[in-house]
Structures are given as C-alpha cells and as structure tokens.
Amino acid sequence: MTVAHTQAAGTPAPETPPVGVAGLQGLWRRSLITWPRRGASDTTTCVRWLQGQRAYIDLRQPAPMRDFSHARTLEDLTYDDCV
C-alpha cells in the first residue's frame, strides 16, 4: 500500500514508501463519543483508525439510512419515521 500525504496548501506531498502489515501499529474502533456540554452522544457511526509508523487512516461509516420508500411526500411520513 502506498500512502500519499496532502500538505496544508492542498498540493500533494511526495509519496511515502510502501507500508507492509508488519509496519502497522494497530487498529482501533470507536463505539461511542459524547459531547457533555451539548448532552449528546453518537453510538451509530462506525469509526476505525488504522495506525502506521508515519501515517494513519480514519474511516468513518455512518449508520445505514432508513428506508423511506413507502413515503412519496412528507405527509406520508409517520412520527416514528422521523425520530
């Protein structure tokens, strides 16, 4: 795998050498994040960090979208559809 870093100015930096599995530091999964001041939390977004020696990957996958195929207009939505 070859990893390219992006500099702050938006121009790509030179590519780093390929990274093998032995060079990976670990894979972490976040199952919860909270914002105490807002009284909010998120347990639905699947977040994984893959850490290498000089770079990392932050993969965020939102929860699957709800199926609203039964609704042709806003009036077709029920309360349960919206919460």
Side-chain angles (χ1 to χ4, degrees):
M1 162 179 28
T2 301
V3 179
H5 299 278
T6 302
Q7 296 173 332
T11 55
E15 289 187 355
T16 59
V19 176
V21 173
L24 299 176
Q25 305 299 307
L27 175 67
W28 292 269
R29 181 178 149 263
R30 184 191 84 200
S31 59
L32 166 69
I33 190 169
T34 61
W35 297 275
R37 289 184 182 178
R38 296 190 331 203
S41 64
D42 177 12
T43 59
T44 62
T45 303
C46 179
V47 180
R48 289 186 173 82
W49 289 278
L50 180 61
Q51 183 69 49
Q53 292 175 344
R54 298 188 311 176
Y56 69 92
I57 295 171
D58 181 338
L59 177 63
R60 296 165 185 262
Q61 297 173 292
M65 296 282 297
R66 292 185 180 185
D67 179 17
F68 293 110
S69 60
H70 66 281
R72 297 186 63 184
T73 67
L74 288 175
E75 288 79 23
D76 294 338
L77 296 174
T78 66
Y79 175 80
D80 289 334
D81 289 331
C82 301
V83 292

Coordinates of all heavy atoms in Angstrom, one line a residue:
M1 N 0.9 -1.2 0.0 CA 0.0 0.0 0.0 C 0.9 1.2 0.0 O 1.8 1.3 0.8 CB -0.9 0.0 1.2 CG -1.5 1.3 1.6 SD -2.6 1.3 3.0 CE -2.1 0.1 4.1
T2 N 0.6 2.2 -0.8 CA 1.4 3.5 -0.9 C 0.5 4.6 -0.3 O -0.7 4.6 -0.7 CB 1.8 3.8 -2.3 OG1 2.6 2.7 -2.8 CG2 2.6 5.1 -2.3
V3 N 1.0 5.4 0.6 CA 0.2 6.4 1.2 C 0.7 7.8 0.7 O 1.9 8.0 0.8 CB 0.3 6.3 2.7 CG1 -0.5 7.4 3.4 CG2 -0.1 4.9 3.2
A4 N -0.2 8.6 0.3 CA 0.2 10.0 -0.1 C -0.4 11.0 0.9 O -1.5 10.9 1.3 CB -0.4 10.3 -1.5
H5 N 0.5 11.8 1.4 CA 0.0 12.9 2.4 C -0.3 14.1 1.6 O 0.2 14.4 0.6 CB 1.2 13.2 3.4 CG 1.6 12.0 4.2 ND1 0.9 11.6 5.3 CD2 2.6 11.1 4.0 CE1 1.5 10.5 5.8 NE2 2.5 10.2 5.0
T6 N -1.3 14.9 2.1 CA -1.6 16.2 1.5 C -1.1 17.3 2.4 O -1.4 17.3 3.6 CB -3.1 16.3 1.3 OG1 -3.6 15.2 0.5 CG2 -3.5 17.6 0.6
Q7 N -0.4 18.2 1.8 CA 0.1 19.4 2.6 C -1.1 20.4 2.8 O -2.1 20.4 2.1 CB 1.2 20.0 1.9 CG 2.4 19.1 1.7 CD 3.5 19.6 0.9 OE1 3.3 20.4 0.0 NE2 4.8 19.2 1.1
A8 N -0.9 21.3 3.8 CA -1.9 22.2 4.1 C -2.3 23.1 2.9 O -3.5 23.5 2.8 CB -1.4 23.1 5.3
A9 N -1.4 23.4 2.0 CA -1.7 24.2 0.9 C -2.5 23.5 -0.2 O -3.0 24.1 -1.1 CB -0.4 24.8 0.2
G10 N -2.8 22.2 0.0 CA -3.6 21.5 -0.9 C -2.8 20.8 -2.0 O -3.3 20.1 -2.9
T11 N -1.5 20.9 -2.0 CA -0.7 20.2 -3.0 C -0.2 18.9 -2.4 O 0.3 18.9 -1.3 CB 0.6 21.1 -3.4 OG1 1.3 21.4 -2.3 CG2 0.1 22.3 -4.2
P12 N -0.2 17.8 -3.2 CA 0.2 16.6 -2.6 C 1.7 16.6 -2.3 O 2.5 17.1 -3.0 CB -0.1 15.6 -3.8 CG -1.0 16.3 -4.7 CD -0.8 17.7 -4.5
A13 N 2.0 16.0 -1.1 CA 3.4 15.8 -0.7 C 4.0 14.6 -1.4 O 3.2 13.8 -2.0 CB 3.5 15.6 0.8
P14 N 5.3 14.4 -1.4 CA 5.8 13.2 -2.0 C 5.3 12.0 -1.4 O 5.0 12.0 -0.2 CB 7.3 13.4 -1.8 CG 7.5 14.8 -1.4 CD 6.2 15.3 -0.9
E15 N 5.1 10.9 -2.1 CA 4.6 9.6 -1.6 C 5.6 9.0 -0.6 O 6.8 9.1 -0.8 CB 4.3 8.7 -2.7 CG 3.1 9.1 -3.5 CD 2.8 8.0 -4.6 OE1 3.5 7.0 -4.7 OE2 1.8 8.2 -5.2
T16 N 5.0 8.4 0.4 CA 5.9 7.7 1.4 C 6.1 6.3 0.9 O 5.4 5.8 0.0 CB 5.2 7.6 2.8 OG1 3.9 7.0 2.6 CG2 5.0 9.0 3.4
P17 N 7.2 5.6 1.4 CA 7.4 4.3 0.9 C 6.2 3.3 1.2 O 5.5 3.6 2.2 CB 8.7 3.8 1.7 CG 9.1 5.0 2.4 CD 8.1 6.1 2.3
P18 N 6.1 2.2 0.5 CA 5.0 1.3 0.8 C 5.1 0.8 2.2 O 6.2 0.7 2.8 CB 5.3 0.1 -0.2 CG 6.1 0.7 -1.3 CD 6.9 1.8 -0.6
V19 N 3.9 0.5 2.8 CA 3.8 0.1 4.2 C 3.3 -1.4 4.2 O 2.3 -1.7 3.5 CB 2.8 0.9 5.0 CG1 2.6 0.4 6.4 CG2 3.2 2.4 5.0
G20 N 4.1 -2.3 4.8 CA 3.7 -3.6 5.0 C 2.9 -3.9 6.2 O 2.8 -3.0 7.1
V21 N 2.3 -5.0 6.4 CA 1.5 -5.3 7.6 C 2.3 -5.2 8.8 O 1.9 -4.7 9.9 CB 0.8 -6.7 7.4 CG1 0.1 -7.1 8.7 CG2 -0.1 -6.7 6.3
A22 N 3.6 -5.6 8.8 CA 4.5 -5.5 9.9 C 4.7 -4.1 10.4 O 5.0 -3.9 11.6 CB 5.8 -6.2 9.6
G23 N 4.5 -3.1 9.5 CA 4.7 -1.7 9.9 C 3.5 -1.1 10.5 O 3.5 0.1 10.9
L24 N 2.4 -1.8 10.6 CA 1.2 -1.2 11.2 C 1.2 -1.3 12.7 O 1.7 -2.3 13.3 CB -0.1 -1.9 10.7 CG -0.2 -1.8 9.1 CD1 -1.4 -2.7 8.7 CD2 -0.4 -0.4 8.7
Q25 N 0.8 -0.3 13.4 CA 0.9 -0.2 14.8 C -0.4 -0.8 15.5 O -0.3 -1.3 16.6 CB 1.0 1.2 15.3 CG 2.2 1.9 14.7 CD 3.5 1.2 15.1 OE1 3.8 1.0 16.2 NE2 4.3 0.9 14.1
G26 N -1.5 -0.7 14.8 CA -2.8 -1.3 15.4 C -4.0 -0.7 14.7 O -3.9 0.2 13.9
L27 N -5.1 -1.4 15.0 CA -6.4 -1.0 14.5 C -7.3 -0.7 15.7 O -7.5 -1.6 16.6 CB -7.0 -2.0 13.6 CG -8.4 -1.8 13.1 CD1 -8.5 -0.6 12.2 CD2 -9.0 -3.0 12.5
W28 N -7.9 0.5 15.9 CA -8.8 0.8 17.0 C -10.2 1.1 16.4 O -10.3 1.6 15.3 CB -8.2 2.0 17.7 CG -7.0 1.7 18.4 CD1 -6.9 1.3 19.7 CD2 -5.7 1.9 17.9 NE1 -5.5 1.1 20.0 CE2 -4.8 1.5 19.0 CE3 -5.1 2.3 16.7 CZ2 -3.4 1.5 18.8 CZ3 -3.7 2.3 16.6 CH2 -2.9 1.9 17.6
R29 N -11.2 0.8 17.2 CA -12.5 1.0 16.9 C -13.2 1.9 17.9 O -13.0 1.6 19.1 CB -13.3 -0.3 16.8 CG -14.7 -0.2 16.4 CD -15.3 -1.6 16.3 NE -16.7 -1.5 16.6 CZ -17.3 -1.8 17.8 NH1 -16.5 -2.2 18.8 NH2 -18.5 -1.7 18.0
R30 N -13.9 2.9 17.5 CA -14.6 3.8 18.4 C -16.1 3.4 18.4 O -16.7 3.3 17.4 CB -14.5 5.2 18.0 CG -15.2 6.1 19.1 CD -15.4 7.6 18.6 NE -16.6 7.6 17.8 CZ -16.8 8.6 16.9 NH1 -16.0 9.5 16.7 NH2 -17.9 8.6 16.2
S31 N -16.6 3.1 19.6 CA -18.0 2.7 19.7 C -18.9 3.8 20.2 O -20.1 3.7 20.2 CB -18.1 1.4 20.5 OG -17.6 1.7 21.8
L32 N -18.3 4.8 20.8 CA -19.1 5.9 21.4 C -18.2 7.2 21.5 O -17.0 7.1 21.7 CB -19.4 5.5 22.9 CG -20.0 6.6 23.8 CD1 -21.4 7.0 23.4 CD2 -20.0 6.1 25.2
I33 N -18.9 8.3 21.2 CA -18.3 9.6 21.5 C -19.4 10.4 22.1 O -20.6 10.3 21.8 CB -17.7 10.3 20.2 CG1 -16.9 11.5 20.6 CG2 -18.8 10.5 19.2 CD1 -16.1 12.1 19.5
T34 N -19.0 11.2 23.1 CA -20.0 12.1 23.8 C -19.5 13.5 23.8 O -18.4 13.8 23.8 CB -20.2 11.6 25.3 OG1 -19.0 11.8 26.0 CG2 -20.8 10.2 25.4
W35 N -20.5 14.4 23.8 CA -20.3 15.8 23.9 C -21.1 16.3 25.1 O -22.2 16.7 25.0 CB -20.8 16.6 22.6 CG -20.1 16.2 21.4 CD1 -18.9 16.6 20.9 CD2 -20.5 15.2 20.5 NE1 -18.5 16.0 19.8 CE2 -19.5 15.1 19.5 CE3 -21.6 14.3 20.4 CZ2 -19.6 14.2 18.4 CZ3 -21.6 13.4 19.3 CH2 -20.6 13.4 18.3
P36 N -20.4 16.3 26.3 CA -21.2 16.6 27.6 C -21.8 17.9 27.6 O -22.9 18.1 28.1 CB -20.1 16.5 28.6 CG -19.0 15.6 28.0 CD -19.0 15.9 26.6
R37 N -21.2 19.0 27.0 CA -21.8 20.3 27.1 C -23.1 20.4 26.3 O -23.9 21.1 26.6 CB -20.8 21.3 26.5 CG -19.6 21.6 27.4 CD -18.8 22.7 26.9 NE -17.6 22.9 27.7 CZ -16.7 23.8 27.5 NH1 -16.7 24.5 26.4 NH2 -15.6 23.9 28.3
R38 N -23.1 19.6 25.2 CA -24.4 19.5 24.4 C -25.3 18.5 24.9 O -26.5 18.4 24.4 CB -24.0 19.3 22.9 CG -23.2 20.4 22.3 CD -23.0 20.3 20.9 NE -23.1 18.9 20.3 CZ -22.5 18.6 19.1 NH1 -21.9 19.5 18.4 NH2 -22.6 17.4 18.7
G39 N -24.9 17.6 25.8 CA -25.7 16.5 26.2 C -26.0 15.5 25.1 O -27.1 14.9 25.1
A40 N -25.1 15.4 24.2 CA -25.3 14.5 23.0 C -24.2 13.4 23.0 O -23.1 13.5 23.6 CB -25.2 15.3 21.7
S41 N -24.5 12.3 22.3 CA -23.6 11.3 22.0 C -23.9 10.6 20.7 O -25.0 10.8 20.1 CB -23.7 10.2 23.2 OG -24.9 9.6 23.2
D42 N -22.9 9.8 20.2 CA -23.1 9.1 18.9 C -22.6 7.7 19.1 O -21.4 7.5 19.4 CB -22.3 9.8 17.8 CG -22.3 9.1 16.5 OD1 -23.2 8.2 16.4 OD2 -21.6 9.4 15.6
T43 N -23.5 6.8 19.0 CA -23.2 5.3 19.0 C -23.5 4.7 17.7 O -23.3 3.5 17.6 CB -24.0 4.6 20.1 OG1 -25.4 4.8 19.9 CG2 -23.6 5.2 21.5
T44 N -23.9 5.4 16.7 CA -24.3 4.8 15.4 C -23.2 4.9 14.4 O -23.2 4.1 13.5 CB -25.5 5.5 14.9 OG1 -25.3 6.9 14.6 CG2 -26.7 5.4 15.8
T45 N -22.3 5.8 14.5 CA -21.2 5.9 13.4 C -20.1 4.9 13.8 O -19.6 4.9 14.9 CB -20.6 7.4 13.4 OG1 -21.7 8.3 13.2 CG2 -19.6 7.5 12.3
C46 N -19.8 4.1 12.8 CA -18.7 3.1 12.9 C -17.4 3.8 12.6 O -17.2 4.3 11.4 CB -19.0 1.9 12.0 SG -17.7 0.7 12.1
V47 N -16.5 4.0 13.5 CA -15.2 4.7 13.3 C -14.1 3.7 13.6 O -14.0 3.1 14.6 CB -15.1 5.9 14.2 CG1 -13.7 6.6 13.9 CG2 -16.2 6.9 14.0
R48 N -13.1 3.6 12.6 CA -11.9 2.8 12.8 C -10.7 3.6 12.5 O -10.7 4.4 11.5 CB -12.0 1.6 12.0 CG -13.0 0.6 12.5 CD -13.0 -0.7 11.7 NE -13.9 -1.7 12.3 CZ -15.2 -1.8 12.1 NH1 -15.8 -0.9 11.3 NH2 -15.9 -2.7 12.6
W49 N -9.6 3.4 13.3 CA -8.3 4.1 13.0 C -7.3 3.0 12.7 O -7.2 2.1 13.6 CB -7.9 4.9 14.2 CG -8.6 6.2 14.4 CD1 -8.4 7.3 13.8 CD2 -9.6 6.4 15.4 NE1 -9.3 8.3 14.3 CE2 -10.1 7.7 15.2 CE3 -10.3 5.6 16.3 CZ2 -11.1 8.2 16.0 CZ3 -11.3 6.1 17.1 CH2 -11.7 7.4 16.9
L50 N -6.6 3.0 11.6 CA -5.5 2.1 11.3 C -4.3 2.9 11.4 O -4.1 3.9 10.6 CB -5.7 1.5 9.9 CG -4.6 0.5 9.5 CD1 -4.6 -0.7 10.4 CD2 -4.9 0.1 8.1
Q51 N -3.4 2.6 12.4 CA -2.2 3.4 12.6 C -1.0 2.7 12.1 O -0.7 1.6 12.3 CB -2.0 3.6 14.1 CG -0.9 4.5 14.5 CD -1.1 5.9 14.2 OE1 -2.1 6.5 14.5 NE2 -0.1 6.5 13.5
G52 N -0.2 3.5 11.3 CA 1.1 3.1 10.8 C 2.2 3.8 11.5 O 1.9 4.6 12.4
Q53 N 3.4 3.6 11.0 CA 4.5 4.3 11.6 C 4.5 5.8 11.4 O 4.9 6.6 12.3 CB 5.8 3.7 11.2 CG 6.0 2.3 11.6 CD 7.2 1.6 11.1 OE1 7.8 2.1 10.1 NE2 7.6 0.5 11.7
R54 N 4.1 6.2 10.2 CA 4.1 7.6 9.9 C 2.8 8.2 9.3 O 2.7 9.3 9.0 CB 5.2 7.9 8.8 CG 6.6 7.5 9.4 CD 7.7 8.0 8.5 NE 7.5 7.5 7.1 CZ 8.3 7.8 6.1 NH1 9.3 8.6 6.3 NH2 8.0 7.4 4.9
A55 N 1.8 7.4 9.2 CA 0.5 7.8 8.7 C -0.6 7.0 9.3 O -0.3 6.0 10.0 CB 0.5 7.6 7.2
Y56 N -1.8 7.5 9.2 CA -3.0 6.7 9.7 C -4.1 6.9 8.8 O -4.2 7.8 7.9 CB -3.3 7.2 11.1 CG -3.9 8.6 11.1 CD1 -5.3 8.8 11.0 CD2 -3.1 9.7 11.2 CE1 -5.8 10.1 11.0 CE2 -3.6 11.0 11.2 CZ -5.0 11.2 11.2 OH -5.5 12.4 11.2
I57 N -5.1 6.0 8.9 CA -6.3 6.0 8.2 C -7.5 6.2 9.2 O -7.5 5.5 10.2 CB -6.6 4.8 7.4 CG1 -5.5 4.6 6.3 CG2 -7.9 4.7 6.7 CD1 -5.5 3.3 5.6
D58 N -8.4 7.1 9.0 CA -9.5 7.4 9.8 C -10.7 7.1 9.0 O -11.1 7.9 8.1 CB -9.5 8.8 10.3 CG -10.6 9.2 11.2 OD1 -11.7 8.5 11.2 OD2 -10.5 10.1 12.0
L59 N -11.4 5.9 9.2 CA -12.5 5.5 8.4 C -13.8 5.7 9.2 O -14.0 5.1 10.2 CB -12.4 4.1 7.9 CG -13.5 3.5 7.1 CD1 -13.7 4.2 5.8 CD2 -13.3 2.0 6.9
R60 N -14.7 6.5 8.7 CA -16.0 6.8 9.4 C -17.1 6.3 8.5 O -17.2 6.8 7.3 CB -16.1 8.2 9.7 CG -15.1 8.7 10.7 CD -15.0 10.2 10.7 NE -13.9 10.6 11.6 CZ -14.0 10.9 12.9 NH1 -15.2 11.0 13.4 NH2 -12.9 11.2 13.6
Q61 N -17.9 5.4 9.0 CA -19.1 4.9 8.2 C -20.3 5.2 9.0 O -20.6 4.6 10.0 CB -18.9 3.4 8.0 CG -17.7 3.1 7.1 CD -17.5 1.6 7.0 OE1 -17.1 1.0 8.0 NE2 -17.7 1.1 5.9
P62 N -21.2 6.1 8.4 CA -22.5 6.4 9.1 C -23.4 5.1 9.2 O -23.2 4.2 8.4 CB -23.1 7.5 8.3 CG -22.4 7.4 7.0 CD -21.1 6.8 7.2
A63 N -24.3 5.2 10.1 CA -25.3 4.1 10.2 C -26.1 4.0 8.9 O -26.2 5.1 8.2 CB -26.2 4.4 11.3
P64 N -26.6 2.9 8.5 CA -27.4 2.8 7.3 C -28.6 3.7 7.3 O -29.1 4.0 8.3 CB -27.8 1.3 7.3 CG -26.9 0.6 8.2 CD -26.5 1.6 9.2
M65 N -28.9 4.2 6.1 CA -30.0 5.1 6.0 C -31.3 4.3 6.2 O -31.4 3.2 5.9 CB -30.1 5.7 4.6 CG -28.9 6.6 4.3 SD -29.1 8.3 5.1 CE -30.5 8.9 4.3
R66 N -32.3 5.0 6.8 CA -33.6 4.4 7.0 C -34.3 4.2 5.6 O -34.0 5.0 4.7 CB -34.5 5.2 7.9 CG -34.0 5.2 9.3 CD -35.0 6.0 10.1 NE -34.6 6.0 11.5 CZ -35.4 6.5 12.5 NH1 -36.5 7.0 12.2 NH2 -34.9 6.6 13.7
D67 N -35.2 3.3 5.5 CA -35.9 3.0 4.3 C -37.2 3.9 4.3 O -38.1 3.7 5.1 CB -36.3 1.6 4.2 CG -37.1 1.3 2.9 OD1 -37.1 2.1 2.0 OD2 -37.7 0.2 2.9
F68 N -37.2 4.9 3.4 CA -38.4 5.8 3.3 C -39.1 5.5 2.0 O -39.8 6.4 1.5 CB -38.0 7.2 3.4 CG -37.5 7.6 4.7 CD1 -36.1 7.9 4.9 CD2 -38.3 7.7 5.8 CE1 -35.7 8.3 6.2 CE2 -37.9 8.1 7.1 CZ -36.5 8.4 7.2
S69 N -38.9 4.3 1.4 CA -39.5 4.1 0.1 C -41.0 4.1 0.1 O -41.7 4.3 -0.9 CB -39.0 2.7 -0.5 OG -39.4 1.7 0.4
H70 N -41.7 3.9 1.3 CA -43.1 4.0 1.4 C -43.7 5.4 1.3 O -44.9 5.6 1.1 CB -43.5 3.3 2.7 CG -43.1 4.1 3.9 ND1 -41.8 4.0 4.4 CD2 -43.8 5.0 4.7 CE1 -41.7 4.8 5.5 NE2 -42.9 5.4 5.6
A71 N -42.8 6.4 1.5 CA -43.3 7.8 1.5 C -43.0 8.5 0.2 O -41.9 8.6 -0.2 CB -42.6 8.5 2.6
R72 N -44.1 9.0 -0.4 CA -43.9 9.7 -1.7 C -43.9 11.2 -1.4 O -43.4 12.0 -2.2 CB -45.1 9.3 -2.6 CG -45.0 7.9 -3.0 CD -46.0 7.5 -4.0 NE -45.7 8.3 -5.2 CZ -46.5 8.2 -6.3 NH1 -47.6 7.5 -6.3 NH2 -46.2 8.9 -7.3
T73 N -44.5 11.6 -0.3 CA -44.5 13.0 0.1 C -44.2 13.1 1.6 O -44.2 12.1 2.3 CB -45.8 13.7 -0.1 OG1 -46.8 13.2 0.8 CG2 -46.3 13.6 -1.6
L74 N -43.9 14.3 2.1 CA -43.6 14.5 3.6 C -44.8 14.1 4.4 O -44.7 13.5 5.5 CB -43.3 15.9 3.9 CG -41.9 16.4 3.4 CD1 -41.8 17.9 3.7 CD2 -40.8 15.6 4.1
E75 N -46.0 14.3 3.9 CA -47.2 13.9 4.6 C -47.4 12.4 4.8 O -48.1 11.9 5.7 CB -48.5 14.4 3.9 CG -48.7 15.9 4.0 CD -47.8 16.7 3.0 OE1 -47.4 16.1 2.0 OE2 -47.5 17.8 3.3
D76 N -46.6 11.6 4.0 CA -46.7 10.1 4.1 C -45.8 9.6 5.3 O -45.9 8.4 5.6 CB -46.2 9.4 2.8 CG -47.2 9.7 1.7 OD1 -48.3 10.0 1.9 OD2 -46.7 9.6 0.5
L77 N -45.0 10.5 5.8 CA -44.1 10.1 6.9 C -44.9 10.0 8.3 O -45.7 10.9 8.5 CB -42.9 11.0 7.1 CG -42.0 11.1 5.9 CD1 -40.9 12.2 6.1 CD2 -41.3 9.7 5.7
T78 N -44.6 9.0 9.1 CA -45.2 8.9 10.4 C -44.2 9.5 11.4 O -43.1 9.8 11.1 CB -45.4 7.4 10.8 OG1 -44.2 6.8 10.9 CG2 -46.3 6.7 9.7
Y79 N -44.7 9.7 12.6 CA -43.9 10.2 13.7 C -42.7 9.3 13.9 O -41.5 9.7 14.0 CB -44.7 10.3 15.0 CG -43.8 10.7 16.2 CD1 -43.5 12.0 16.4 CD2 -43.4 9.8 17.1 CE1 -42.7 12.4 17.4 CE2 -42.6 10.2 18.1 CZ -42.3 11.5 18.3 OH -41.5 11.9 19.4
D80 N -42.9 8.0 13.9 CA -41.8 7.0 14.1 C -40.8 7.1 12.9 O -39.6 6.8 13.1 CB -42.3 5.6 14.2 CG -43.1 5.3 15.5 OD1 -42.8 6.0 16.5 OD2 -43.9 4.4 15.5
D81 N -41.2 7.5 11.7 CA -40.2 7.7 10.6 C -39.3 8.8 10.9 O -38.1 8.8 10.5 CB -41.0 8.0 9.3 CG -41.7 6.8 8.7 OD1 -41.3 5.7 8.9 OD2 -42.7 7.1 8.0
C82 N -39.7 9.8 11.7 CA -39.0 11.0 11.9 C -38.1 11.0 13.2 O -37.3 11.9 13.4 CB -39.9 12.2 11.9 SG -40.8 12.3 10.3
V83 N -38.3 10.0 14.0 CA -37.5 10.0 15.3 C -36.4 9.0 15.3 O -36.4 8.1 14.6 CB -38.3 9.9 16.6 CG1 -39.2 11.2 16.7 CG2 -39.2 8.7 16.5

